[in-house]
Every structure is written in structure tokens, then in C-alpha cells.
Amino acid sequence: MSKLTPAMSQYYQFKKEYSDSIIFFRMGDFYETFDNDAKVVSKELDITLTNRGKSKYGEKMPLAGIPYHSLDNYLPRLIKKGYKVAICEQLEDPKKSKGVVKRGVVRVVTPGTAIDSSMFETPSNNYLMSIVGEKSEFGLSFLDISTGEFLTTQFKDNPPYDRVANEIARMNPSECIMSPTIQDNAELYSRINSFSLLVNTLDEKYFDLSLAEKSLKDHFGVNTLEGMGCSNLVYSISASGATIQYVEATQKRSLSHINSLRIYSESEFMTLDAITLRNLEVVSNVRGSGKDSTILGVLDETMTPMGSRMLKKWLSKPLIVTSEINQRLDSVENLVQNTLVRYDIRAYLSKVRDIERLTARIVYGNSNARDLVALKRSLENIPHIDILLKELDSDIFLKLREQISNFKEVEYLINLIDKAIVDEPPLSVREGGLINIGYNKELDDIRTMSKSGKEWIASFQKKERERTGIKSLKVGYNKVFGYYIEITKANSSNVPDDYIIKQTMSNSERFYTPELKKWEETIISADEKINTLEYEIFSSINQEIANYAEDLQHTSITISKIDIFSTFAEIAVNKGYTRPLISNNFSITIKDGRHPVVEHNVLDDFVPNDTEIDCFKNQFSLITGPNMAGKSTYMRQVALIVIMAQVGSFVPASYASIGIVDRVFTRVGAFDDLASGQSTFMVEMVELANILNNASERSLILLDEIGRGTSTYDGYSIAKAVVEYIHNKNKVGVRSLFATHYHQLTDLENNLERVKNYHIAVKEDGEKLVFLRKIVPGSTDKSYGIQVARLAGVPRKVTQRAKEILYNIEKEDYLVEKKKSNFKRLAKNEHKQLIFAVEQENNEKNDIHSTIFKELSEININELTPLDALNKLNNIQKKIKDQSE
Ligand code: ADP
């Protein structure tokens, strides 16, 4: 092994300790990366890879560095790509250090623990997930360090894959820590890894129950976890305790903004599993992660980032308790009716910034003066909003007002920031210019000193020009050489004797005088003192604000709710939504329902439709109609209206009455899940199995065709069996909508009492097909597939030929059917004779058998000559032959 420089041996020590992270090793004005890290960084960040010195293996050491001030620019790019970065700082001034500079890792930045504003392009939450458990019992926790939100749940499920996948889909964490037991569960491990998130398996000790419990108690400063309601939830404690230890180990600083752990359980909310959330495009598109054609996209007209975050959570967790939903609806209605209040509230909200994340950065010690000003400008709106809330009387608004008035120190904080921090502070907090004049006497005195020094220097230039007669004489400053007098070489002969040479340039020379030197020292030391003092003042104000973190977090939640209600109201008015009636009965009645996203795209052309389903007479709507008629749109619109209603939003319909739904199941579209190695048909059947096994009488099922990935007869048989099963499964049937091309299924209406046929009407206009988009009772018997293919631009030659083929098949089918029915008739009429004939035949057979049997058993073999034997055999054979003819 080759001999390393002291700095490099220091580097390798850190690399050993943080082997799973890229080390950003501070060297002067750069963060350097070495070895393999350098190769990765150079490739991912597209920066030059160079070589310097030798690695410990004696080869040239690859090196890639970034200037320290560009950290905010480069770091997020690496983190977003799923890397962990350990920031290794110089812990002492290199000028003052003897030997190698002392360094230390001050923080490990990971995808799930990012807090800097530059890391977030959207206001969405950024969760770190933790999972522990074995067999069928598991604990999960989710922490958003950028907001302080900390949640946990524990559940039993065997196998647990779907449940875990659902939680991941809903929370969308960017990083997951897990116990080795999870990694050992190959199926679970691969399901978690199929999401795009950084997965770390930590040492078992992180999840050790007593250690985990201790770390939670220490973090929250409590003696028992009972107050949080999780003292019995051992897996929740283990997962959450591991999270706290992991975050403390990587962040190495105050985490006091994480001040509560909330336990949630699935039974509090409507269940929307990963598949349904995706299929219905509730919060993200089926393809990609955007929100363009989602309900979130339609509803997210929130004014604040934390409102937007909360809306996303609400949409993926609709409520199931009528009174809670009605309380939300009351609040929306308050604001629908009170236009002026709504306008004003939204105008104030538009000036509120991300209080939740600002607070987290302040507590975390990562804020700058601009954050404080942003907080001040946000808080300034709260008293105005408070006054406006007086006009609203829903239960929720009364509570929200109370919470706002409980936070009495708002004015104090506004004043504190206002007095101390300038209105437009610089980004850096260490280079002065942050603190207002008049805020601190000592600072003002030093500033005066610096100012008079600078004034002296300005007058010095004038004085020296006059004294020397050199008009071009300039007094300048640079960081390395300080203040100087610059004289061009042409004027060298006029340089006075008391000038001392400092630096020679190509066209000029630079000098100083003892007096200039004295003032320079005064100014520089004053400026240094100013910077230090301003930073100290800033830090103390930051700390003072951090003391109100909890109040600020509550305020943020309050503001988010007001934001959502005002948004729901605004949208209800602008888009003509109505308040749904919510009840515990089992019916869903919708008049003039619209699909919230599709209506947006087709504007005035959207055709509203009615819906009437319940668990009794109208349990199962079997919907037929050609492709493109609007079957999927219709079914989804029903589910989306239910979801929106249970979230507390008004809905796109002229009337809606919703009997609570506990879970929406969907089996729609066909996606090959290539990543998990499942074929389309397999995916479809897995989804179907989940529905059939888990739907309760309160659920809503949407089936958009079943069995398309197999042969027609297979598919049809499965589809028919499914309808029968769902129809008969529970005492009261599960509300279901099923769109299908198997027209034969519509016969089921005659046999199953709760099945109702519907179709989406179309009109044939010569060769053309006109989509009427209206759902009407009864079935169709045509698919119009060839017309739709023509509409899609399939060449006429192909569609013509398809028509011929179809005609022939239908003709053949007709003949076959005819033959079959003839046969059936024959069979029916002659059934009895046939049975009689068969029985007769059997009896005759039995007679022969017994005769032969008797003959054989009576033969005395000892007396039988070979000739007799042959004759007997011949006889027997003859009898058999006669009988079979
Ligand atoms: P299907 O499931 O029957 O093949 P879709 O539901 O996918 O049909 O609808 C096809 C297209 O028809 C949609 O993308 C939409 O543009 C339009 N559409 C559907 N329903 C309506 C409606 N009620 N009013 C207007 N346009 C509609």
C-alpha cells in the first residue's frame, strides 16, 4: 500500500465509516470527491474528472470537485438520483491549524432526509419510510423531516405485500430503512424495491425494541409512550425508534420540530389501494408521476404549498364517518355562500408561504434571513384571516379560529423579525447586510466605524490626487491585497517618497502608506466584526422563533385546512359542483353526473349521466356499448364522485346522494407488469382475486372487462362466474359496475335478480358511428369494433376485409347454432327412447357376459382335449362377435 498524505488518510477513515455514502470532502473552497465517488459524481453531475496524487492502492487518484458555494446546485441532483452524500467539513480555520486541518462529517444527506429548499421542486411531502416485522405482523413509519410530520401504523396481514405496496403508493416515500428480517422476506423485499426509492437495510440493533423505545422517549422527552397511544404497538415503536436513530445519526443536529408521533389505522379511512389510486388517477397519472389528468390536478387550486400537500393526503384517504364528512361539507358550504369572505381569505392565503417547511428549517438551523422574512410576511396575514373567520360558523371553522387565537405570540414574532431583519436580505447569513440599523447598538457603532473608514478612503483618493498631481491615481481594494493606491507606469516619476510598493502590474504599480494601512486594518476588522455580530444576532432570533415551532406547525395545519375548504368552495362555484348528501344507507344516486377530469378536457361537449345503484334491486350494472362510447368514463365518474364526496368536496353533478363506501375496487385497463414478471392476464387475475376476496357489502367495485387476455370462451366463462359470485356473495350485494364486450352476459339479467343491463347509446349514420355518450337501460348486441377501427384510421382495405370475415363467422355461427338446436330438440323428444335403448343394450350385454362366464367356469380342464378346447374357444368368440354386431 502506498503512503498517503495526511489529508488522504483522513479521507479514507471517513470513507470507511460512511462507506455507503459519497464523501464531499471540504478542501478550501471546494468539496472534493475521490476514487469511485469521483467517477460517479463526474458522470452524474457532468463535471470534469481529473487525477491527482495517488490513491491508497498506489494508482493515480481520480478526483472531481465542486466549488463550495455551488453545493445547493449540485447536491440535490445527486440526492434525487438516489445517492447518499456525507458532507465532511473543515472544523477549524486552515490558516490557524497546525498540521492537517481537523475535519468531520457534519451531516449525511439522503433522499429521505433532505430539508434544504433547493431539494424540492414541488410542495409534496418527502417521506423517509421505516419497516420492520415478520411473518404476518408489521410496523411502518413515515417521517417528513422537512415538515416534522411523523406517522406510524401497525397491522396484521398475511401475506403483507399488498398492504405494504398500498402504503408506499399512497405515501410515495423517497427512501426506506428496513430491518434485516424484511430483506430476508424475498417477496416483500422485491415488492418494496419495485418502487423508485432508496432502500437501506440497517443493522438489527436499530430496530431492537428496548433501544427503539428509549430513543423515542428521549427524543420526545417523555417517560412513557402511553400518551401517544403506541405503548402496545411493538412493531410501530420499533420502526419509529429506528427512524429517529437513523435521522439522528445522519443529521447530527436538532430535530425538535419532530414533536409528535401520530398513529393511524386503515379503518379510519376509505381504502384506496395502490391499483385503484393508479387506475382512477386520483393523485398521479397512470403513466408517470404528473398530476395533469388527475382529480388532484382538477382540485388543486390551493393557495399554499402546505394546503396542496394536505389536499393530496385527503384525496388518498377519504373519510368514512358521515358526521366528519358533513362537517367538512358544512365548511365548504360556508365559503360557497360567502363569496366576499372567500375572495378575501384566498387573497391573504396567496401571500402565505410554506410555514411548515420554513419552521422546519429554522429549528434545524438551516435557515437564512430570507426564510425569516418569508415567515414574517406569511404570519402577517394570519390576523386578517382570523377576522374573516368570524363570518363563518361551521364546527370546523369555530375550532380553527380557536386555534388561531390560541397562538398569541404571532404579533410578537412578526415584530421581532420586522425590527431585526432587513426587508431584502442577502442569501448568505455570514457576510453581513442582514440586520436593520437601530436594532443593536454595538453593531451600529462598529458600522459607523467601518463607514467612517470607507469615507476616509474615499476622501484619501481626492487628497492624494491633489497632492501628487496624478489625475489617474486610484484607491482600490481586493480581497487578497487589501487597499492600495494604483499609479500607472507613465506616472512613476511622480510617486511621492512616502509611498511603499505593494505590487507591480504590467502597466501600473500599487502602493500603500502607513496611514492607509492603519485605516485598512480598522475597516477590515470592523467588517469582520460586523459579519460575526450579524450572524450571532440572526442565530439568536432564529433560536427565539424555533421556540414557537409547535405553534407554527399547528398554524400551518390550520392554514392548510382553510386553504382546502376555500379551494373546494371556489371550484364548486366555478365548475358548478353541488353538495352531496351523505348517508349510511347503501345506495348511490347521481343526477347529471360528470367526470371531473374528462369534462375539463371536452368542455361543453360533456354529456352528463345519471346513476342509480344500491345493494338491493340495482346492485350490478352490466354496461355494454362499443369501444370509445364512454363506458370507462362513466364508471370512473361514479367512483370519483363518491371519493370526492367522502373527501368533503362538492361534486360534479346536479344531485348526489352517497351511501358511504368503505373501499373502491377497480379492475380496469391492462398493463403488463413487466417489472414484476407478470403477464397482462396474470395481473388481471391477481387484481380480480383481491376484489373477490376482500370486497365488503359497503364496497364499490368497478370492472372494466374481465378475461380479455385469454381465449374468448375462457374469458367469457370467468366473467360470467364472477358476476354470479359477486351477485350472490353477501347477503346484501356489493355495489358493482361492469363494462363488458361479452354481450351474452346480458342474459344474466333474466337469472340474477339484482343485475341490470345498461348500454351507452350510439347511432349509426350510414357508415359512420355517432357517439351519444348517454347511458340508457337495456343491452346492445353489437360491438361496432370495425367502425371504431375505421375511425381510428385503420386502412379501409383492412376494415372492409374484417367486415367480410365477420359476416362469414356470423353466418357459420348461425348454421352451427341451428344444427345444435336441431340436435337439442331431437335429444329432448327422443330422450326417453334413447335411455331405454341404452338400458336394453346394457341388459343384453350383461346376459352374454354371464352366459360366457358360466360356460367357462363349468369346463373341467383335466378332461378337456386340445381339440375340444379349440372348439369351445371358437364358440365363445362367435357369441361375442354376434353380440357386438
Ligand atoms: P370506452 O370505455 O367505452 O371505450 P371511454 O370511456 O374511454 O370509452 O371514452 C372514450 C372518450 O369519449 C373519452 O376519452 C372522452 O373523450 C369521450 N367521452 C366519454 N364519455 C363522455 C361523455 N359523457 N361526454 C363527452 N365525452 C365523453
Side-chain angles (χ1 to χ4, degrees), residues 129-152:
M129 167 183 165
S130 167
I131 173 165
V132 62
E134 47 211 335
K135 293 194 187 99
S136 61
E137 195 145 26
F138 292 83
L140 294 183
S141 84
F142 293 92
L143 169 68
D144 183 345
I145 189 173
S146 73
T147 63
E149 186 185 9
F150 194 15
L151 308 164
T152 182

Side-chain angles (χ1 to χ4, degrees), residues 489 504-509:
K489 284 200 171 147
T504 304
M505 320 284 287
S506 54
N507 293 326
S508 60
E509 286 172 313

Side-chain angles (χ1 to χ4, degrees), residues 391-408:
E391 308 286 322
L392 309 171
D393 61 1
S394 77
D395 288 351
I396 295 184
F397 277 132
L398 295 179
K399 265 190 224 129
L400 293 179
R401 258 207 83 202
E402 203 179 304
Q403 277 161 14
I404 290 188
S405 2
N406 284 344
F407 185 21
K408 299 211 165 38

Side-chain angles (χ1 to χ4, degrees), residues 47 72 208 262 341 393 406 468 523 565 669 692 774 836:
I47 56 175
D72 278 357
D208 173 82
R262 199 171 76 74
V341 173
D393 61 1
N406 284 344
T468 59
I523 294 168
F565 293 134
L692 300 181
K774 203 74 194 160
F836 179 75

Side-chain angles (χ1 to χ4, degrees), residues 827-838:
K828 208 171 175 188
N829 290 341
E830 296 169 3
H831 194 219
K832 277 189 188 147
Q833 286 107 311
L834 207 65
I835 290 176
F836 179 75
V838 171

Side-chain angles (χ1 to χ4, degrees), residues 631-642:
K631 300 182 297 297
S632 311
T633 308
Y634 172 73
M635 292 201 303
R636 284 157 200 249
Q637 117 189 355
V638 175
L640 294 180
I641 287 175
V642 169

